[in-house]
Amino acid sequence: MIKKLMIIPLLSAGIFCSLYAFKNNPSAGRQHRPPKTDADNAGLKLPSGFGALVAADSIGKARHIVVTKEGNLYVKLAKPVKEKGIIYLQDKNGDGRMDEQSGFGNYGGTGLYLKDGVLYASSNDEVFSYQLNEKNEVLDQHNPAKLISKLKKGRQHDTKSIVLDNSGNIYVNIGAYSNSCQQKDRTPGSPGIKGCPILDSAGGIWQFKANKLNQSYGDGIRYATGIRNVVGLDWNQQNNTLFVMQHGRDQLNGLWPDLYDEKRSALLPAECLYMIKKGDNAGWPYVYYDQYQKKNIQAPEYGGDGKKEGSKEYINPALAFPGHLAPNGLLFYTGNQFPEKYRNGAFIAFHGSWNRTPEKQEGFYVVFAPFKDGMPTGEWEIFADGFAGTDQVMSPRDAKHRPCGLAQGPDGSLYVTDDVKGTVYRILYNGK
């Protein structure tokens, strides 16, 4: 009897503490309970055992995204909304849906990355950093540190995607402001420029210091070249190496109709996943990768005929996908929520094509590519589909949503942004 009397006050104190914590932080009682997914999985088609919900909607043209350890979201907008180019979203009641929104940073862009208490963000010609507090909230929204400026941009491929390694370096894509470095860009029959001068300041990945202010080309290193344009990139922690998804060239039939019919032009060239090491050259504009012949083919602007193999000095992709799908997000999954097959594999968000006529447009989905020992196995599958809202997309305007950014939540959820209507999807595994 004495033992029971001793236990009762302890239990009562525990209940009191739990009630007090819940009253002062309503989400405390729900933080370990997975949120309820939408009945229709937010309109997505997913593998068995997965569900999805709309975490946020109509926030602007949402590009890349990061998730804090608290489960809050930072989203970069292509164009500012009410002078806010970075949106901060919080889930106050713990139901998985963002119910509080604020923002800062009066500049558009795509790149966003969070590492070691710092939020990095890019415009189309600059890169900034914001110090965070212990809750991963920005300390000074109005005065970011300017890390890099005066980066080349043109009327095409001007976004600057970013990623950090584990040695204090930041990597920036600087896209080529051209389709294939012709003397007259996108003009039928126009030859390519020998020695393509664009490559001195674009068409590759540049490396800078992540903690040094006011850098530009002279302070950085052209880490890799011959890469037409990259929007999706990530650092592979398994082999401590950069991986990027290239947007392949366009208009083989439109520019060289004697060499390529419409069918071949709709399918070629491949969208390529490259493992990038310092000094690599992927060959743009001199070659493109043909996923059917499984080799680099010399570009027609530089004497190619659709069959002639390109120089062996250019690297081959680690994995090749169908042409013109527009890969805009790349994420290596390191969480534990999804089944083991997804561990350390790559998710890729394909924004969707515009130039596959007369075929229907393709993409508008997220795919998964398994990896082993830091390299792709060669297989891939469509993981999340249905973003477009229709099976027949003849024009990009037909797509209701287009996937762009990817991020992993602290619980292992997968977040996907859409830059048409500004939707943020959250995908969870609830199977057994």
mmCIF file of all heavy atoms in Angstrom, residues 164-210:
data_model
loop_
_atom_site.group_PDB
_atom_site.id
_atom_site.type_symbol
_atom_site.label_atom_id
_atom_site.label_comp_id
_atom_site.label_asym_id
_atom_site.label_seq_id
_atom_site.Cartn_x
_atom_site.Cartn_y
_atom_site.Cartn_z
ATOM 1 N N LEU A 164 26.284 23.113 -51.237
ATOM 2 C CA LEU A 164 27.535 23.173 -50.471
ATOM 3 C C LEU A 164 28.111 21.788 -50.283
ATOM 4 O O LEU A 164 27.371 20.791 -50.220
ATOM 5 C CB LEU A 164 27.309 23.816 -49.097
ATOM 6 C CG LEU A 164 27.368 25.350 -49.046
ATOM 7 C CD1 LEU A 164 26.117 25.974 -49.653
ATOM 8 C CD2 LEU A 164 27.556 25.852 -47.614
ATOM 9 N N ASP A 165 29.442 21.724 -50.182
ATOM 10 C CA ASP A 165 30.093 20.467 -49.832
ATOM 11 C C ASP A 165 30.351 20.446 -48.330
ATOM 12 O O ASP A 165 29.784 21.252 -47.572
ATOM 13 C CB ASP A 165 31.369 20.267 -50.649
ATOM 14 C CG ASP A 165 32.446 21.320 -50.384
ATOM 15 O OD1 ASP A 165 32.361 22.047 -49.368
ATOM 16 O OD2 ASP A 165 33.388 21.417 -51.194
ATOM 17 N N ASN A 166 31.224 19.567 -47.874
ATOM 18 C CA ASN A 166 31.534 19.463 -46.448
ATOM 19 C C ASN A 166 32.867 20.111 -46.092
ATOM 20 O O ASN A 166 33.387 19.898 -44.997
ATOM 21 C CB ASN A 166 31.534 17.991 -46.035
ATOM 22 C CG ASN A 166 30.192 17.331 -46.277
ATOM 23 O OD1 ASN A 166 29.157 17.852 -45.879
ATOM 24 N ND2 ASN A 166 30.203 16.186 -46.950
ATOM 25 N N SER A 167 33.391 20.934 -47.011
ATOM 26 C CA SER A 167 34.691 21.555 -46.796
ATOM 27 C C SER A 167 34.649 23.075 -46.918
ATOM 28 O O SER A 167 35.669 23.707 -47.188
ATOM 29 C CB SER A 167 35.707 20.987 -47.802
ATOM 30 O OG SER A 167 35.815 19.576 -47.673
ATOM 31 N N GLY A 168 33.459 23.652 -46.753
ATOM 32 C CA GLY A 168 33.352 25.104 -46.767
ATOM 33 C C GLY A 168 33.260 25.733 -48.144
ATOM 34 O O GLY A 168 33.510 26.935 -48.284
ATOM 35 N N ASN A 169 32.889 24.956 -49.153
ATOM 36 C CA ASN A 169 32.766 25.489 -50.509
ATOM 37 C C ASN A 169 31.313 25.514 -50.954
ATOM 38 O O ASN A 169 30.515 24.632 -50.585
ATOM 39 C CB ASN A 169 33.567 24.640 -51.495
ATOM 40 C CG ASN A 169 35.039 24.604 -51.161
ATOM 41 O OD1 ASN A 169 35.682 25.652 -51.044
ATOM 42 N ND2 ASN A 169 35.590 23.409 -50.985
ATOM 43 N N ILE A 170 30.971 26.499 -51.766
ATOM 44 C CA ILE A 170 29.654 26.579 -52.370
ATOM 45 C C ILE A 170 29.804 26.483 -53.884
ATOM 46 O O ILE A 170 30.739 27.050 -54.467
ATOM 47 C CB ILE A 170 28.919 27.882 -51.960
ATOM 48 C CG1 ILE A 170 27.482 27.889 -52.502
ATOM 49 C CG2 ILE A 170 29.676 29.129 -52.398
ATOM 50 C CD1 ILE A 170 26.623 29.000 -51.922
ATOM 51 N N TYR A 171 28.910 25.725 -54.521
ATOM 52 C CA TYR A 171 28.959 25.482 -55.959
ATOM 53 C C TYR A 171 27.761 26.166 -56.610
ATOM 54 O O TYR A 171 26.629 26.052 -56.129
ATOM 55 C CB TYR A 171 28.952 23.983 -56.248
ATOM 56 C CG TYR A 171 30.139 23.278 -55.639
ATOM 57 C CD1 TYR A 171 30.136 22.919 -54.288
ATOM 58 C CD2 TYR A 171 31.279 23.019 -56.383
ATOM 59 C CE1 TYR A 171 31.241 22.311 -53.706
ATOM 60 C CE2 TYR A 171 32.387 22.398 -55.811
ATOM 61 C CZ TYR A 171 32.359 22.056 -54.473
ATOM 62 O OH TYR A 171 33.452 21.461 -53.892
ATOM 63 N N VAL A 172 28.024 26.870 -57.704
ATOM 64 C CA VAL A 172 26.995 27.659 -58.377
ATOM 65 C C VAL A 172 26.934 27.267 -59.852
ATOM 66 O O VAL A 172 27.959 27.279 -60.545
ATOM 67 C CB VAL A 172 27.287 29.170 -58.262
ATOM 68 C CG1 VAL A 172 26.139 29.976 -58.872
ATOM 69 C CG2 VAL A 172 27.534 29.582 -56.819
ATOM 70 N N ASN A 173 25.730 26.916 -60.306
ATOM 71 C CA ASN A 173 25.547 26.713 -61.737
ATOM 72 C C ASN A 173 25.444 28.065 -62.431
ATOM 73 O O ASN A 173 24.712 28.950 -61.995
ATOM 74 C CB ASN A 173 24.264 25.940 -62.016
ATOM 75 C CG ASN A 173 23.855 26.045 -63.481
ATOM 76 O OD1 ASN A 173 24.516 25.487 -64.347
ATOM 77 N ND2 ASN A 173 22.794 26.799 -63.759
ATOM 78 N N ILE A 174 26.175 28.216 -63.528
ATOM 79 C CA ILE A 174 26.040 29.395 -64.388
ATOM 80 C C ILE A 174 25.706 28.871 -65.778
ATOM 81 O O ILE A 174 26.563 28.388 -66.511
ATOM 82 C CB ILE A 174 27.322 30.252 -64.392
ATOM 83 C CG1 ILE A 174 27.711 30.620 -62.949
ATOM 84 C CG2 ILE A 174 27.106 31.511 -65.232
ATOM 85 C CD1 ILE A 174 28.993 31.399 -62.830
ATOM 86 N N GLY A 175 24.422 28.930 -66.120
ATOM 87 C CA GLY A 175 23.937 28.328 -67.353
ATOM 88 C C GLY A 175 24.392 29.080 -68.596
ATOM 89 O O GLY A 175 24.592 30.300 -68.575
ATOM 90 N N ALA A 176 24.541 28.334 -69.677
ATOM 91 C CA ALA A 176 24.917 28.939 -70.959
ATOM 92 C C ALA A 176 23.732 29.706 -71.527
ATOM 93 O O ALA A 176 22.632 29.177 -71.630
ATOM 94 C CB ALA A 176 25.362 27.858 -71.934
ATOM 95 N N TYR A 177 23.956 30.938 -71.908
ATOM 96 C CA TYR A 177 22.893 31.775 -72.463
ATOM 97 C C TYR A 177 22.772 31.533 -73.965
ATOM 98 O O TYR A 177 22.749 32.462 -74.785
ATOM 99 C CB TYR A 177 23.156 33.253 -72.147
ATOM 100 C CG TYR A 177 24.585 33.702 -72.341
ATOM 101 C CD1 TYR A 177 25.001 34.324 -73.520
ATOM 102 C CD2 TYR A 177 25.532 33.484 -71.350
ATOM 103 C CE1 TYR A 177 26.316 34.711 -73.706
ATOM 104 C CE2 TYR A 177 26.861 33.871 -71.522
ATOM 105 C CZ TYR A 177 27.240 34.488 -72.703
ATOM 106 O OH TYR A 177 28.548 34.861 -72.876
ATOM 107 N N SER A 178 22.665 30.274 -74.323
ATOM 108 C CA SER A 178 22.620 29.853 -75.720
ATOM 109 C C SER A 178 22.118 28.421 -75.773
ATOM 110 O O SER A 178 22.212 27.675 -74.792
ATOM 111 C CB SER A 178 24.019 29.936 -76.336
ATOM 112 O OG SER A 178 24.080 29.307 -77.596
ATOM 113 N N ASN A 179 21.620 28.018 -76.932
ATOM 114 C CA ASN A 179 21.210 26.642 -77.136
ATOM 115 C C ASN A 179 22.403 25.753 -77.472
ATOM 116 O O ASN A 179 22.599 24.708 -76.854
ATOM 117 C CB ASN A 179 20.166 26.565 -78.249
ATOM 118 C CG ASN A 179 19.743 25.141 -78.560
ATOM 119 O OD1 ASN A 179 19.518 24.343 -77.663
ATOM 120 N ND2 ASN A 179 19.635 24.821 -79.841
ATOM 121 N N SER A 180 23.213 26.182 -78.446
ATOM 122 C CA SER A 180 24.331 25.343 -78.889
ATOM 123 C C SER A 180 25.516 26.165 -79.388
ATOM 124 O O SER A 180 26.306 25.679 -80.198
ATOM 125 C CB SER A 180 23.859 24.384 -79.997
ATOM 126 O OG SER A 180 23.238 25.101 -81.049
ATOM 127 N N CYS A 181 25.627 27.394 -78.903
ATOM 128 C CA CYS A 181 26.752 28.275 -79.221
ATOM 129 C C CYS A 181 26.937 28.472 -80.728
ATOM 130 O O CYS A 181 28.044 28.407 -81.266
ATOM 131 C CB CYS A 181 28.047 27.763 -78.592
ATOM 132 S SG CYS A 181 29.284 29.056 -78.285
ATOM 133 N N GLN A 182 25.826 28.724 -81.410
ATOM 134 C CA GLN A 182 25.879 29.017 -82.836
ATOM 135 C C GLN A 182 26.309 30.466 -83.073
ATOM 136 O O GLN A 182 26.181 31.327 -82.210
ATOM 137 C CB GLN A 182 24.503 28.817 -83.469
ATOM 138 C CG GLN A 182 24.020 27.388 -83.512
ATOM 139 C CD GLN A 182 22.590 27.314 -84.019
ATOM 140 O OE1 GLN A 182 21.654 27.555 -83.275
ATOM 141 N NE2 GLN A 182 22.428 26.976 -85.304
ATOM 142 N N GLN A 183 26.775 30.715 -84.273
ATOM 143 C CA GLN A 183 27.080 32.100 -84.650
ATOM 144 C C GLN A 183 25.824 32.959 -84.563
ATOM 145 O O GLN A 183 25.885 34.120 -84.144
ATOM 146 C CB GLN A 183 27.679 32.133 -86.054
ATOM 147 C CG GLN A 183 29.057 31.484 -86.134
ATOM 148 C CD GLN A 183 29.645 31.497 -87.530
ATOM 149 O OE1 GLN A 183 29.114 32.157 -88.430
ATOM 150 N NE2 GLN A 183 30.742 30.768 -87.736
ATOM 151 N N LYS A 184 24.675 32.391 -84.958
ATOM 152 C CA LYS A 184 23.388 33.038 -84.770
ATOM 153 C C LYS A 184 22.510 32.058 -83.999
ATOM 154 O O LYS A 184 22.082 31.039 -84.536
ATOM 155 C CB LYS A 184 22.750 33.395 -86.116
ATOM 156 C CG LYS A 184 23.516 34.464 -86.886
ATOM 157 C CD LYS A 184 22.795 34.832 -88.188
ATOM 158 C CE LYS A 184 23.541 35.926 -88.930
ATOM 159 N NZ LYS A 184 22.841 36.307 -90.205
ATOM 160 N N ASP A 185 22.274 32.355 -82.720
ATOM 161 C CA ASP A 185 21.608 31.423 -81.824
ATOM 162 C C ASP A 185 20.234 31.002 -82.352
ATOM 163 O O ASP A 185 19.449 31.831 -82.799
ATOM 164 C CB ASP A 185 21.452 32.068 -80.432
ATOM 165 C CG ASP A 185 21.009 31.076 -79.379
ATOM 166 O OD1 ASP A 185 21.427 29.904 -79.454
ATOM 167 O OD2 ASP A 185 20.244 31.475 -78.473
ATOM 168 N N ARG A 186 20.001 29.693 -82.320
ATOM 169 C CA ARG A 186 18.714 29.096 -82.700
ATOM 170 C C ARG A 186 18.295 29.472 -84.132
ATOM 171 O O ARG A 186 17.116 29.688 -84.419
ATOM 172 C CB ARG A 186 17.622 29.458 -81.686
ATOM 173 C CG ARG A 186 17.922 28.933 -80.270
ATOM 174 C CD ARG A 186 16.799 29.240 -79.302
ATOM 175 N NE ARG A 186 17.143 28.860 -77.921
ATOM 176 C CZ ARG A 186 16.887 27.676 -77.354
ATOM 177 N NH1 ARG A 186 16.274 26.741 -78.054
ATOM 178 N NH2 ARG A 186 17.236 27.427 -76.106
ATOM 179 N N THR A 187 19.282 29.535 -85.020
ATOM 180 C CA THR A 187 19.035 29.854 -86.430
ATOM 181 C C THR A 187 19.379 28.635 -87.287
ATOM 182 O O THR A 187 20.497 28.107 -87.190
ATOM 183 C CB THR A 187 19.890 31.056 -86.878
ATOM 184 O OG1 THR A 187 19.539 32.193 -86.085
ATOM 185 C CG2 THR A 187 19.665 31.364 -88.344
ATOM 186 N N PRO A 188 18.450 28.149 -88.111
ATOM 187 C CA PRO A 188 18.709 26.954 -88.921
ATOM 188 C C PRO A 188 19.991 27.071 -89.739
ATOM 189 O O PRO A 188 20.222 28.076 -90.421
ATOM 190 C CB PRO A 188 17.476 26.865 -89.832
ATOM 191 C CG PRO A 188 16.395 27.529 -89.038
ATOM 192 C CD PRO A 188 17.071 28.658 -88.321
ATOM 193 N N GLY A 189 20.822 26.034 -89.638
ATOM 194 C CA GLY A 189 22.043 25.953 -90.431
ATOM 195 C C GLY A 189 23.204 26.788 -89.943
ATOM 196 O O GLY A 189 24.312 26.678 -90.486
ATOM 197 N N SER A 190 23.020 27.611 -88.920
ATOM 198 C CA SER A 190 24.122 28.446 -88.447
ATOM 199 C C SER A 190 25.168 27.575 -87.743
ATOM 200 O O SER A 190 24.838 26.805 -86.843
ATOM 201 C CB SER A 190 23.597 29.507 -87.473
ATOM 202 O OG SER A 190 24.668 30.297 -86.979
ATOM 203 N N PRO A 191 26.441 27.686 -88.149
ATOM 204 C CA PRO A 191 27.484 26.851 -87.544
ATOM 205 C C PRO A 191 27.812 27.282 -86.119
ATOM 206 O O PRO A 191 27.515 28.403 -85.701
ATOM 207 C CB PRO A 191 28.685 27.048 -88.473
ATOM 208 C CG PRO A 191 28.469 28.403 -89.065
ATOM 209 C CD PRO A 191 26.976 28.559 -89.210
ATOM 210 N N GLY A 192 28.441 26.372 -85.395
ATOM 211 C CA GLY A 192 28.880 26.686 -84.044
ATOM 212 C C GLY A 192 30.140 27.534 -84.041
ATOM 213 O O GLY A 192 30.938 27.492 -84.982
ATOM 214 N N ILE A 193 30.312 28.313 -82.982
ATOM 215 C CA ILE A 193 31.506 29.156 -82.843
ATOM 216 C C ILE A 193 32.655 28.297 -82.319
ATOM 217 O O ILE A 193 32.533 27.671 -81.266
ATOM 218 C CB ILE A 193 31.240 30.319 -81.872
ATOM 219 C CG1 ILE A 193 30.030 31.136 -82.327
ATOM 220 C CG2 ILE A 193 32.467 31.207 -81.766
ATOM 221 C CD1 ILE A 193 29.595 32.181 -81.317
ATOM 222 N N LYS A 194 33.744 28.279 -83.023
ATOM 223 C CA LYS A 194 34.907 27.505 -82.566
ATOM 224 C C LYS A 194 35.448 28.101 -81.275
ATOM 225 O O LYS A 194 35.577 29.310 -81.131
ATOM 226 C CB LYS A 194 35.987 27.514 -83.648
ATOM 227 C CG LYS A 194 35.592 26.777 -84.924
ATOM 228 C CD LYS A 194 36.721 26.783 -85.940
ATOM 229 C CE LYS A 194 36.328 26.026 -87.206
ATOM 230 N NZ LYS A 194 37.411 26.030 -88.224
ATOM 231 N N GLY A 195 35.738 27.223 -80.344
ATOM 232 C CA GLY A 195 36.263 27.689 -79.063
ATOM 233 C C GLY A 195 35.214 28.360 -78.193
ATOM 234 O O GLY A 195 35.574 29.041 -77.216
ATOM 235 N N CYS A 196 33.950 28.200 -78.502
ATOM 236 C CA CYS A 196 32.791 28.779 -77.812
ATOM 237 C C CYS A 196 33.148 29.721 -76.647
ATOM 238 O O CYS A 196 33.416 29.285 -75.526
ATOM 239 C CB CYS A 196 31.887 27.672 -77.279
ATOM 240 S SG CYS A 196 30.338 28.299 -76.572
ATOM 241 N N PRO A 197 33.157 31.034 -76.871
ATOM 242 C CA PRO A 197 33.566 32.000 -75.852
ATOM 243 C C PRO A 197 32.643 32.054 -74.648
ATOM 244 O O PRO A 197 33.044 32.562 -73.580
ATOM 245 C CB PRO A 197 33.551 33.337 -76.616
ATOM 246 C CG PRO A 197 32.608 33.125 -77.751
ATOM 247 C CD PRO A 197 32.768 31.694 -78.136
ATOM 248 N N ILE A 198 31.430 31.526 -74.780
ATOM 249 C CA ILE A 198 30.499 31.506 -73.655
ATOM 250 C C ILE A 198 31.080 30.743 -72.464
ATOM 251 O O ILE A 198 30.820 31.076 -71.303
ATOM 252 C CB ILE A 198 29.159 30.872 -74.097
ATOM 253 C CG1 ILE A 198 28.430 31.808 -75.044
ATOM 254 C CG2 ILE A 198 28.274 30.526 -72.906
ATOM 255 C CD1 ILE A 198 27.190 31.205 -75.675
ATOM 256 N N LEU A 199 31.917 29.745 -72.758
ATOM 257 C CA LEU A 199 32.421 28.865 -71.706
ATOM 258 C C LEU A 199 33.389 29.534 -70.737
ATOM 259 O O LEU A 199 33.714 28.959 -69.700
ATOM 260 C CB LEU A 199 33.088 27.635 -72.337
ATOM 261 C CG LEU A 199 32.132 26.685 -73.079
ATOM 262 C CD1 LEU A 199 32.919 25.627 -73.836
ATOM 263 C CD2 LEU A 199 31.162 26.033 -72.113
ATOM 264 N N ASP A 200 33.834 30.739 -71.031
ATOM 265 C CA ASP A 200 34.745 31.392 -70.095
ATOM 266 C C ASP A 200 34.024 31.883 -68.843
ATOM 267 O O ASP A 200 34.641 32.039 -67.782
ATOM 268 C CB ASP A 200 35.489 32.560 -70.763
ATOM 269 C CG ASP A 200 34.572 33.734 -71.104
ATOM 270 O OD1 ASP A 200 33.333 33.556 -71.080
ATOM 271 O OD2 ASP A 200 35.094 34.816 -71.417
ATOM 272 N N SER A 201 32.697 32.101 -68.949
ATOM 273 C CA SER A 201 31.972 32.646 -67.803
ATOM 274 C C SER A 201 30.621 31.983 -67.581
ATOM 275 O O SER A 201 29.865 32.396 -66.700
ATOM 276 C CB SER A 201 31.751 34.153 -67.991
ATOM 277 O OG SER A 201 31.067 34.405 -69.210
ATOM 278 N N ALA A 202 30.289 30.964 -68.368
ATOM 279 C CA ALA A 202 29.005 30.278 -68.243
ATOM 280 C C ALA A 202 29.148 28.853 -68.778
ATOM 281 O O ALA A 202 30.221 28.434 -69.188
ATOM 282 C CB ALA A 202 27.911 31.043 -69.000
ATOM 283 N N GLY A 203 28.036 28.104 -68.740
ATOM 284 C CA GLY A 203 28.076 26.739 -69.248
ATOM 285 C C GLY A 203 28.877 25.811 -68.365
ATOM 286 O O GLY A 203 29.572 24.917 -68.855
ATOM 287 N N GLY A 204 28.770 25.991 -67.039
ATOM 288 C CA GLY A 204 29.521 25.130 -66.136
ATOM 289 C C GLY A 204 29.165 25.376 -64.684
ATOM 290 O O GLY A 204 28.226 26.094 -64.349
ATOM 291 N N ILE A 205 29.964 24.766 -63.816
ATOM 292 C CA ILE A 205 29.795 24.892 -62.360
ATOM 293 C C ILE A 205 31.013 25.609 -61.803
ATOM 294 O O ILE A 205 32.154 25.213 -62.079
ATOM 295 C CB ILE A 205 29.665 23.513 -61.688
ATOM 296 C CG1 ILE A 205 28.517 22.708 -62.326
ATOM 297 C CG2 ILE A 205 29.454 23.668 -60.187
ATOM 298 C CD1 ILE A 205 27.144 23.270 -62.111
ATOM 299 N N TRP A 206 30.756 26.652 -61.020
ATOM 300 C CA TRP A 206 31.838 27.406 -60.378
ATOM 301 C C TRP A 206 31.851 27.135 -58.876
ATOM 302 O O TRP A 206 30.802 26.972 -58.250
ATOM 303 C CB TRP A 206 31.674 28.900 -60.630
ATOM 304 C CG TRP A 206 32.418 29.404 -61.837
ATOM 305 C CD1 TRP A 206 33.564 30.146 -61.839
ATOM 306 C CD2 TRP A 206 32.082 29.196 -63.211
ATOM 307 N NE1 TRP A 206 33.966 30.396 -63.140
ATOM 308 C CE2 TRP A 206 33.077 29.836 -63.996
ATOM 309 C CE3 TRP A 206 31.044 28.534 -63.860
ATOM 310 C CZ2 TRP A 206 33.060 29.831 -65.386
ATOM 311 C CZ3 TRP A 206 31.015 28.520 -65.254
ATOM 312 C CH2 TRP A 206 32.009 29.157 -66.001
ATOM 313 N N GLN A 207 33.049 27.090 -58.315
ATOM 314 C CA GLN A 207 33.229 26.864 -56.882
ATOM 315 C C GLN A 207 33.734 28.137 -56.216
ATOM 316 O O GLN A 207 34.679 28.778 -56.698
ATOM 317 C CB GLN A 207 34.243 25.736 -56.660
ATOM 318 C CG GLN A 207 34.523 25.402 -55.199
ATOM 319 C CD GLN A 207 35.779 24.558 -55.031
ATOM 320 O OE1 GLN A 207 36.896 25.045 -55.238
ATOM 321 N NE2 GLN A 207 35.602 23.289 -54.687
ATOM 322 N N PHE A 208 33.084 28.519 -55.102
ATOM 323 C CA PHE A 208 33.490 29.677 -54.316
ATOM 324 C C PHE A 208 33.572 29.271 -52.849
ATOM 325 O O PHE A 208 33.131 28.186 -52.460
ATOM 326 C CB PHE A 208 32.477 30.820 -54.466
ATOM 327 C CG PHE A 208 32.329 31.347 -55.866
ATOM 328 C CD1 PHE A 208 31.374 30.828 -56.733
ATOM 329 C CD2 PHE A 208 33.148 32.371 -56.334
ATOM 330 C CE1 PHE A 208 31.233 31.312 -58.030
ATOM 331 C CE2 PHE A 208 33.009 32.864 -57.628
ATOM 332 C CZ PHE A 208 32.053 32.331 -58.473
ATOM 333 N N LYS A 209 34.113 30.161 -52.008
ATOM 334 C CA LYS A 209 34.134 29.944 -50.574
ATOM 335 C C LYS A 209 32.772 30.314 -49.987
ATOM 336 O O LYS A 209 32.203 31.351 -50.335
ATOM 337 C CB LYS A 209 35.238 30.766 -49.909
ATOM 338 C CG LYS A 209 36.650 30.339 -50.299
ATOM 339 C CD LYS A 209 36.928 28.907 -49.848
ATOM 340 C CE LYS A 209 38.346 28.477 -50.195
ATOM 341 N NZ LYS A 209 38.593 27.052 -49.829
ATOM 342 N N ALA A 210 32.278 29.488 -49.080
ATOM 343 C CA ALA A 210 30.947 29.716 -48.531
ATOM 344 C C ALA A 210 30.911 30.807 -47.479
ATOM 345 O O ALA A 210 29.829 31.270 -47.107
ATOM 346 C CB ALA A 210 30.404 28.416 -47.941
#
